[in-house]
């Protein structure tokens, strides 16, 4: 991003922060958290500790950050360097991102920008002008991306409640501000678990690392009785609902599975993990020192806010998280994909001069698909 | 503190206060070196260590945890004397093997006590031992023992067998369901750590007359522990894959870069040798790369040297591309190493 655009976006962000203090709060146990922020075209500044909302608002006004973060971890000394912080515990966090869901709609709304010649074209693995493979992919997620991500959130929530015993009201869901959702679990039995233990939880939620024996299949002389029943709980139950479908088909399908043999069964389990497992980003959940986007703050990849979803089903990110102002501005846009914000359609634009509201201008500038004219 | 009956001390001798036990019985260590009758438990003690050094479990004289008073006493004495022998020998590996074998021996009794349906006090003692020593809250439910998932994970992550993965367990409402056998198997490592730390922390005795011979024998026994390993120098498939991605100029995720850098650093490559590998990355920045490599090598920042992630972790991060030669390795650094 060039100086001119940075100034414009920073100003728009600052306006948002000034006018929407009500949306941005420090989390509970503030003084035990580490905060961090980034400015446009600059590195991360972290190891910051804050006392209250007032200090946070001051930080936002003084620094005009592009992104603001807060730790999921709790520390004795959050402002000291990592080795001296004295980690106490961490909330369980999840990131569900549409880009990891291998959705077929993706190619329709992804744009490729070449790092070397800046040429913009529709989704590809190389630049269509200079053939370079050094490319940046910018996605303008569609309705389908959001709906599919919501399904993953629901899947995750069910396993958390039914299997892991998490209380329904200790789960909070946020739109990430770009392509997916962030899920927080507070005050669970998992608060004090380290990274390795959390990685086991990840495998559980994603249905990874399963062995055929868990579902009754054995290498030698498998016994039909060991296969799960339709009404079982946990993964055995989900497996049977997915694979058998109904009680009446169970017996026939067990015979087929036994006939196909052990290694085919193993392969089937691996494929199943893509459909029945919750598609979360393992690295985020494993990280006990992460500084995670602060609720209420803006995402510099889009200019949309990370907002809480009280009613996930009804939630429409392109309406409910777009808070920048309506003031119009002139741009030169090169955005080959159409998008919708605040119920208004924009694009496609092919290297043309346009006048759009600030929220749409920031969206395209953040995606590097427009510059100020 | 857990109060133990006679037979329970014999089953779980590591719970006893050694010095106090001898005093209560009216003996001194010196007597075991000279008294012909008391030499029996000393021989037993030697046996106990020797068997554990071979990776086997010492077969005790207790049948179903019950035996005559003398047999029970000898059982405890031989355990205490084994510790004295180990201290006098001073070989860590011997102590660790002994602790593991003793843990596995105790495991059998714990399992039996847990599964005891006629005597609730035995079951309660076993549950109390597990709670007191390892802070695991076990509850009985039907034929199973249930423990909180967080407790389960803290112990099970030390196991490499897939059956111990949480996803292969019966899980409901925040708890894991286990059989008595699985419950005690879960704490084997901790039990053996508990026993070995008791040995490491025990006071160092001076040589006792009559103990020289077994100590000498144990010293020569441990000579066979020395093995040699050779490496063929080839890279494992995960590392090859990461290098290929970078060579193609494609994006290797942060976790992949971390793996590659820590692997090569552990193979004694210098930062100057490693840095050029990242040159083709779409977001290459020489200054940042050198800073990060220095950080991983421990030459800057906190001074911590980062090690290469385990195969298990790499699997979770989708960085594992295992081939048959990867069998039985737990970390990419072990690839291609053969024991001679």
């Amino acid at each position: 991003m060039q100086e001119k655009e940075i100034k414009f976006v920073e100003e728009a962000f600052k306006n948002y922060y000034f006018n929407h203090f009500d949306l941005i709060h420090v989390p509970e146990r503030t003084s035990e958290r580490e905060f961090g922020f980034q400015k446009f075209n600059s590195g991360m500044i972290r190891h910051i500790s804050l006392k209250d909302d007032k200090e946070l608002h001051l930080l936002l006004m003084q620094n005009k950050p592009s992104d603001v973060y807060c730790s999921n971890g709790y520390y004795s000394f959050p402002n000291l360097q990592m080795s001296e912080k004295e980690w106490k515990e961490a909330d369980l966090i999840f990131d569900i991102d549409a880009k990891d869901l291998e959705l077929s709609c993706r190619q329709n709304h992804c744009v490729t920008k070449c790092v070397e010649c800046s040429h913009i074209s529709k989704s590809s693995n190389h630049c269509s002008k200079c053939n370079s493979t050094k490319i940046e992919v910018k996605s303008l997620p569609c309705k389908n991306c959001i709906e599919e991500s919501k399904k993953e959130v629901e899947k995750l929530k069910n396993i958390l409640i039914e299997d892991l015993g998490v209380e329904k009201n200790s789960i909070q869901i946020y739109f990430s501000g770009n392509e997916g959702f962030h899920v927080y679990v507070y005050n669970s039995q998992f608060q004090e678990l380290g990274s390795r233990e959390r990685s086991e939880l990840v495998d559980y939620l994603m249905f990874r690392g399963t062995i055929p024996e868990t579902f009754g299949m054995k290498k030698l002389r498998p016994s039909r009785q060991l296969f799960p029943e339709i009404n079982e709980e946990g993964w055995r139950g989900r497996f049977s609902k997915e694979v058998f479908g109904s009680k009446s088909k169970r017996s026939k399908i067990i015979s087929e599975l036994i006939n196909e043999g052990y290694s085919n069964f193993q392969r089937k389990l691996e494929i199943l993990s893509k459909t029945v497992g919750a598609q979360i980003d393992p690295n985020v959940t494993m990280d006990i020192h992460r500084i995670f986007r602060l609720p209420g703050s803006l995402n510099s990849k889009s200019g949309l806010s990370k907002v809480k979803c009280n009613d996930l089903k009804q939630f429409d990110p392109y309406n409910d998280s777009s808070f920048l102002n309506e003031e119009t501005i002139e741009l030169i846009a090169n955005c080959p994909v159409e998008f919708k914000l605040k119920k208004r359609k924009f694009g496609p634009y092919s290297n043309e001069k346009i006048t759009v509201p600030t929220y749409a201008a920031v969206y395209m500038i953040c995606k590097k698909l427009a510059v100020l004219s | 503190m857990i109060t133990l009956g006679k037979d329970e001390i014999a089953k779980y001798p590591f719970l006893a206060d050694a010095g106090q036990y001898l005093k209560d019985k009216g003996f001194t260590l010196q007597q075991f070196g000279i008294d012909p009758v008391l030499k029996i438990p000393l021989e037993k003690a030697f046996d106990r260590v020797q068997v554990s050094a071979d990776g086997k479990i010492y077969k005790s004289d207790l049948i179903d945890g019950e035996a005559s008073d003398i047999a029970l006493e000898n059982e405890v004495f031989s355990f205490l004397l084994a510790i004295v022998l180990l201290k006098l020998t001073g070989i860590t590996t011997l102590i660790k093997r002994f602790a593991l074998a003793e843990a596995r021996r105790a495991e059998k009794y714990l399992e039996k006590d847990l599964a005891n349906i006629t005597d609730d006090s035995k079951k309660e003692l076993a549950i109390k031992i597990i709670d007191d020593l390892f802070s695991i809250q076990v509850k009985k439910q039907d034929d199973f023992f249930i423990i909180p998932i967080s407790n389960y994970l803290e112990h099970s992550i030390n196991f490499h067998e897939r059956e111990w993965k949480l996803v292969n367990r019966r899980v409901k409402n925040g708890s894991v369901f286990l059989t008595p056998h699985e419950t005690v198997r879960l704490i084997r490592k901790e039990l053996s750590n508990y026993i070995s730390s008791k040995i490491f922390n025990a006071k160092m005795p001076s040589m006792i007359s009559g103990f020289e011979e077994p100590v000498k024998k144990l010293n020569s026994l441990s000579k066979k522990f020395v093995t040699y390993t050779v490496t063929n120098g080839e890279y494992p498939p995960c590392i090859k894959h990461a290098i290929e991605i970078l060579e193609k100029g494609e994006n290797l995720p942060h976790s992949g870069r971390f793996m590659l850098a820590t692997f090569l650093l552990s193979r004694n490559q210098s930062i100057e040798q490693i840095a050029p590998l990242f040159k083709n990355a779409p977001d290459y920045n020489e200054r940042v790369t050198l800073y990060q490599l220095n950080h991983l090598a421990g030459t800057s920042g906190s001074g911590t040297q980062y090690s290469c992630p385990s195969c298990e972790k790499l699997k979770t991060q989708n960085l594992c591309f295992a081939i048959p030669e990867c069998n039985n390795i737990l970390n990419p650094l072990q690839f291609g190493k053969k024991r001679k």
Side-chain angles (χ1 to χ4, degrees):
Chain A
M1 222 185 272
Q2 298 300 311
E3 205 54 47
K4 212 163 52 164
E5 283 76 31
I6 290 179
K7 232 174 147 195
F8 169 70
V9 177
E10 270 183 349
E11 219 32 57
F13 275 30
K14 193 178 168 186
N15 270 335
Y16 164 79
Y17 286 127
F18 186 77
N19 294 321
H20 291 93
F21 275 160
D22 55 316
L23 289 176
I24 312 137
H25 299 289
V26 287
E28 276 180 33
R29 295 170 64 181
T30 318
S31 59
E32 293 167 87
R33 310 273 196 164
E34 177 198 356
F35 292 82
F37 68 86
Q38 248 172 322
K39 286 173 71 73
F40 286 98
N41 286 3
S42 159
M44 177 80 84
I45 299 162
R46 56 187 296 182
H47 312 302
I48 296 171
S49 81
L50 296 174
K51 223 167 44 206
D52 49 26
D53 281 351
K54 244 188 185 162
E55 284 195 357
L56 171 67
H57 296 158
L58 190 66
L59 176 141
L60 296 171
M61 287 299 109
Q62 282 179 338
N63 295 287
K64 291 186 261 179
S66 65
D67 300 274
V68 190
Y69 305 93
C70 172
S71 65
N72 63 328
Y74 301 81
Y75 306 94
S76 300
F77 310 106
N79 57 326
L80 298 187
Q81 60 162 308
M82 224 61 220
S83 55
E84 296 180 331
K85 279 189 177 1
E86 287 189 23
W87 184 87
K88 293 197 252 186
E89 57 185 278
D91 299 325
L92 202 52
I93 50 172
F94 302 95
D95 180 18
I96 288 170
D97 204 317
K99 78 169 186 302
D100 301 328
L101 302 182
E102 296 173 18
L103 300 171
S104 58
C105 61
R106 202 168 160 74
Q107 55 182 4
N108 302 330
H109 54 71
C110 271
V111 177
T112 303
K113 184 165 186 180
C114 179
V115 173
E116 298 196 357
C117 75
S118 293
H119 178 70
I120 291 172
S121 51
K122 275 230 163 175
S123 182
S124 162
N125 53 10
H126 62 272
C127 172
S128 61
K129 195 174 168 195
C130 75
N131 257 335
S132 166
T133 50
K134 292 191 180 182
I135 48 158
E136 268 184 283
V137 177
K138 298 283 165 193
S139 168
L140 287 76
C142 66
K143 202 165 177 229
N144 183 50
C145 291
I146 300 301
E147 289 312 310
E148 291 301 313
S149 306
K150 282 184 185 174
K151 281 186 197 161
E152 295 303 324
V153 174
E154 287 296 346
K155 225 195 273 175
L156 170 70
K157 209 172 129 190
N158 281 338
I159 308 171
L160 285 173
I161 294 171
E162 287 168 16
D163 297 14
L164 304 194
V166 172
E167 298 282 340
K168 208 174 168 182
N169 52 18
S170 25
I171 302 175
Q172 286 188 6
I173 301 160
Y174 289 84
F175 171 59
S176 74
N178 192 29
E179 292 202 71
F181 292 90
H182 291 170
V183 179
Y184 292 73
V185 172
Y186 297 106
N187 303 321
S188 71
Q189 58 163 309
F190 311 111
Q191 286 288 117
E192 287 172 32
L193 289 187
S195 177
R196 284 172 69 207
E197 289 88 351
R198 284 174 199 238
S199 129
E200 269 298 298
L201 280 182
V202 166
D203 283 347
Y204 187 87
L205 295 161
M206 298 184 83
F207 195 66
R208 301 203 299 197
T210 45
I211 50 172
E213 284 80 356
T214 306
F215 304 93
M217 184 66 182
K218 289 199 292 184
K219 266 188 187 143
L220 298 168
R221 287 195 300 273
S223 150
R224 304 176 64 87
Q225 285 156 352
L226 296 175
F227 283 79
E229 299 285 345
I230 286 281
N231 56 7
E232 271 187 56
E233 285 150 341
W235 277 124
R236 277 174 59 92
R238 283 184 209 103
F239 171 92
S240 56
K241 278 177 204 94
E242 181 76 14
V243 176
F244 306 145
S246 67
K247 211 173 172 183
S248 55
K249 289 190 208 145
R250 183 174 172 269
S251 175
K252 190 177 152 244
I253 294 176
I254 291 178
S255 306
E256 282 170 19
L257 289 170
I258 291 176
N259 273 338
E260 286 164 14
Y262 186 88
S263 30
N264 278 326
F265 195 103
Q266 178 76 63
R267 226 160 296 149
K268 196 169 229 129
L269 287 176
E270 278 154 28
I271 296 166
L272 266 181
S273 86
K274 293 251 179 222
T275 52
V276 298
Q279 304 303 306
I280 54 176
D281 179 342
N283 296 315
V284 170
T285 306
M286 276 157 61
D287 197 344
I288 57 171
H289 298 114
R290 196 162 197 95
I291 48 173
F292 208 32
R293 192 172 294 289
L294 180 76
S297 71
L298 293 167
N299 189 323
S300 73
K301 288 179 200 145
S302 65
L304 302 176
S305 306
K306 172 165 170 177
V307 291
K308 196 170 167 193
C309 309
N310 292 320
D311 182 354
L312 186 66
K313 243 186 211 141
Q314 296 300 319
F315 180 77
D316 172 10
Y318 302 111
N319 195 42
D320 304 339
S321 70
S322 177
F323 289 100
L324 300 186
N325 65 53
E326 306 267 348
E327 222 169 283
T328 54
I329 178 114
E330 220 170 63
L331 294 178
I332 297 174
N334 191 359
C335 176
V337 174
E338 182 188 288
F339 63 95
K340 207 171 148 185
L341 280 178
K342 291 197 186 178
K343 298 196 168 126
R344 216 182 120 179
K345 275 185 190 160
F346 297 94
Y349 304 116
S350 165
N351 245 335
E352 53 196 280
K353 203 177 216 182
I354 53 166
T355 304
V356 291
T358 299
Y359 62 85
V362 168
Y363 189 72
M364 281 185 281
I365 293 174
C366 286
K367 300 272 175 200
K368 297 188 186 169
L369 302 175
V371 289
L372 294 178
S373 78
Chain B
M1 189 66 198
I2 303 167
T3 15
L4 300 163
K6 270 193 295 215
D7 62 325
E8 280 145 2
I9 294 198
K11 285 194 280 188
Y12 313 118
F14 47 85
L15 294 175
D17 178 338
Q20 196 56 44
Y21 187 83
L22 285 182
K23 214 188 255 170
D24 288 351
K25 298 286 166 193
F27 293 113
T28 62
L29 277 178
Q30 281 69 24
Q31 284 173 286
F32 289 92
I34 31 178
D35 190 316
V37 179
L38 291 178
K39 274 221 157 183
I40 297 169
L42 183 61
E43 281 160 19
K44 252 169 107 75
F46 174 80
D47 221 33
R48 228 165 153 149
V49 179
Q50 190 181 30
V51 166
S52 71
D54 287 337
K56 294 188 189 118
I57 307 172
Y58 157 77
K59 276 204 191 69
S60 74
D61 297 335
L62 309 176
I63 301 156
D64 287 331
E66 278 170 38
S68 71
D69 280 2
I70 294 181
L72 286 179
E73 269 178 19
N74 276 346
E75 194 73 15
V76 186
F77 285 149
S78 64
F79 177 82
L80 301 177
L81 293 170
I83 293 182
V84 177
L85 289 178
L86 286 165
K87 285 299 270 191
L88 289 170
T89 313
I91 293 167
T92 309
T93 306
L94 269 186
I95 296 177
K96 285 193 173 156
R97 290 197 183 188
F98 174 78
L100 179 63
E102 286 297 321
R104 293 176 64 187
R105 172 184 170 276
E107 214 178 283
K108 285 188 181 165
Y109 296 120
L110 267 179
E111 185 183 332
K112 212 170 267 171
D113 284 349
L114 268 186
N116 197 318
I117 38 169
T118 51
D119 188 348
D120 268 352
S121 70
K122 289 214 184 315
K123 184 166 48 211
E124 275 155 26
L125 175 78
I127 289 179
K128 190 160 169 33
I129 290 176
I130 294 172
D131 189 4
D132 276 16
L133 258 46
F134 312 111
S135 322
I136 303 182
Q137 290 136 31
V138 185
K139 273 194 211 130
K140 180 100 178 12
Q141 188 176 318
D142 305 324
D143 288 341
F144 289 95
F145 288 89
I146 64 168
I147 66 170
I149 294 175
S150 48
N151 274 177
Y152 175 82
L153 290 177
E154 279 158 0
H155 297 84
S156 69
I157 48 159
N158 297 316
F159 297 156
H160 304 293
E161 298 90 350
R162 287 205 146 191
E163 63 186 269
W164 286 97
K165 284 188 75 64
L166 188 65
V167 73
N168 293 312
R169 293 279 134 195
R170 190 175 148 202
V171 174
K172 193 191 157 187
N173 239 334
S175 297
V176 184
F177 290 64
L178 299 169
T179 63
H181 174 71
E182 290 162 343
T183 311
V184 292
R185 172 67 185 87
L186 193 63
I187 53 163
R188 177 184 293 168
K189 183 89 190 296
E190 281 78 2
L191 193 52
S192 96
N193 286 346
Y194 177 81
I195 297 172
S196 57
S197 74
K198 265 206 135 173
I199 303 175
F200 286 125
N201 294 333
K203 221 169 73 192
M204 182 71 198
S206 44
M207 184 50 86
I208 301 156
S209 162
F211 281 52
E212 299 91 342
E213 193 55 30
V215 168
K216 211 171 121 197
K217 277 202 264 177
L218 288 179
N219 262 319
S220 57
L221 186 79
S222 57
K223 296 246 158 52
K224 66 177 179 195
F225 292 153
V226 184
T227 53
Y228 301 92
T229 53
V230 285
T231 310
N232 63 14
E234 193 163 319
Y235 289 157
C238 48
I239 300 297
K240 279 189 187 162
H241 176 263
I243 294 175
E244 268 170 39
I245 294 267
L246 284 174
E247 277 173 355
K248 276 193 247 167
E250 287 169 16
N251 189 42
L252 182 66
H254 175 76
S255 47
R257 298 177 194 202
F258 179 87
M259 166 194 75
L260 181 60
T262 49
F263 177 88
L264 295 174
L265 285 167
S266 296
R267 284 259 175 117
N268 289 326
Q269 291 209 22
S270 69
I271 288 167
E272 292 70 29
Q273 284 171 310
I274 301 170
L277 274 177
F278 297 96
K279 261 195 174 139
N280 278 334
D283 53 355
Y284 178 73
N285 175 326
E286 191 183 352
R287 195 179 56 84
V288 174
T289 303
L290 286 177
Y291 166 80
Q292 288 176 336
L293 285 172
N294 272 310
H295 191 84
L296 296 181
T299 43
S300 73
S302 61
T304 319
Q305 192 181 342
Y306 289 82
S307 46
C308 184
S310 66
C311 298
E312 201 58 40
K313 180 150 189 180
L314 297 175
K315 263 182 215 145
T316 308
Q317 296 172 324
N318 288 330
L319 293 168
C320 170
F321 299 88
I323 54 172
E325 286 79 52
C326 290
N327 263 354
N328 302 323
I329 67 166
L330 302 172
N331 188 295
L333 285 167
Q334 292 165 322
F335 185 83
K337 271 189 187 170
K338 276 200 182 112
R339 273 171 191 272
K340 247 186 177 174

